[in-house]
Amino acid sequence: MKLEKYVLSKFDPNRPGDVALFREFLKENDTPECHLLFAEFLYATGKKLHVKEYAEHVIIAYNGGERDAIPYLANMYFFGEGIEKDIGLALVLFEKCGDVGIPDGYFSVGNEYLMGVNVPYDHRKAFHYLKKASDGGSAKGMNGLGLMYLCGFYVDKDVRKAKKLFAKARIRGSSSGYSNMMLIDECGPEFDYKGMMLEHGLIEGYIEGKDALDE
């Protein structure tokens, strides 16, 4: 934390020349934490020319045992940022995030199985990971699990339980949790939320056919 505060006070990603200065600083502070801070700094510059270098330093931090590098590496493989895209490896790393105490990682895995975006949908696995994310304190996990109860995906539809999960997510700062609570208040418990979510999936391009999420 002390190193992070020092870096934030000393280097500005919007200031010309600070990338070179940070590189020199890194030579004298060759630690996994500092490599990750430099990667974050490069990303904050917003310049695509730094993407490959960003990836290199995330990998150095990860190989050095820096726990906080895991979600960065997972996202790199997920989106193919500075490295070849590999969804399978990304999901392994997202699950590892959850295992080391970063519950949003479980959400990322669960959401993939819920929506069937890059992997075949599997609502049993989706429930497993979203519940782990929710139990771990992830607002995203609470919201995702709430959607499963709201729509009756894998579990019996339970609007009351869904609303409680959305409320917990909202307390933790989730705007989606708040929006979903308002949706329930507006539409009521008998509304066809499942049908609405299926249609939303089609609009967003998450799924190929209307029956894709219908179990």
Side-chain angles (χ1 to χ4, degrees), residues 174-186:
S174 169
S175 59
S176 295
Y178 175 74
S179 297
N180 287 327
M181 287 177 64
M182 295 301 99
L183 179 66
I184 292 173
D185 287 343
E186 179 180 349

Side-chain angles (χ1 to χ4, degrees), residues 12-139:
D12 184 344
N14 299 308
R15 191 162 54 212
D18 274 20
V19 171
L21 290 174
F22 202 145
R23 286 195 188 103
E24 291 301 313
F25 175 78
L26 188 60
K27 291 178 182 178
E28 299 177 1
N29 298 270
D30 186 12
T31 65
E33 180 188 7
C34 200
H35 278 281
L36 183 60
L37 288 171
F38 183 53
E40 293 173 341
F41 177 84
L42 290 173
Y43 197 86
T45 66
K47 296 180 180 179
K48 292 185 178 180
L49 60 92
H50 293 312
V51 170
K52 187 175 180 180
E53 188 177 9
Y54 159 81
E56 290 172 352
H57 287 279
V58 169
I59 291 170
I60 291 171
Y62 173 79
N63 289 337
E66 178 61 45
R67 186 200 77 154
D68 292 337
I70 304 173
Y72 288 89
L73 188 60
N75 277 301
M76 279 165 49
Y77 278 112
F78 190 83
F79 294 106
E81 291 184 331
I83 200 167
E84 186 175 353
K85 186 174 182 177
D86 188 327
I87 297 297
L89 185 51
L91 294 183
V92 169
L93 287 164
F94 279 131
E95 183 169 2
K96 187 173 182 178
C97 288
D99 292 343
V100 299
I102 308 173
D104 278 353
Y106 288 139
F107 162 78
S108 295
V109 180
N111 192 56
E112 285 298 302
Y113 285 119
L114 175 63
M115 300 305 299
V117 184
N118 296 294
V119 298
Y121 79 93
D122 185 326
H123 288 167
R124 181 185 64 80
K125 288 183 178 179
F127 181 82
H128 170 75
Y129 285 108
L130 291 175
K131 188 173 190 309
K132 289 183 75 170
S134 178
D135 291 346
S138 166

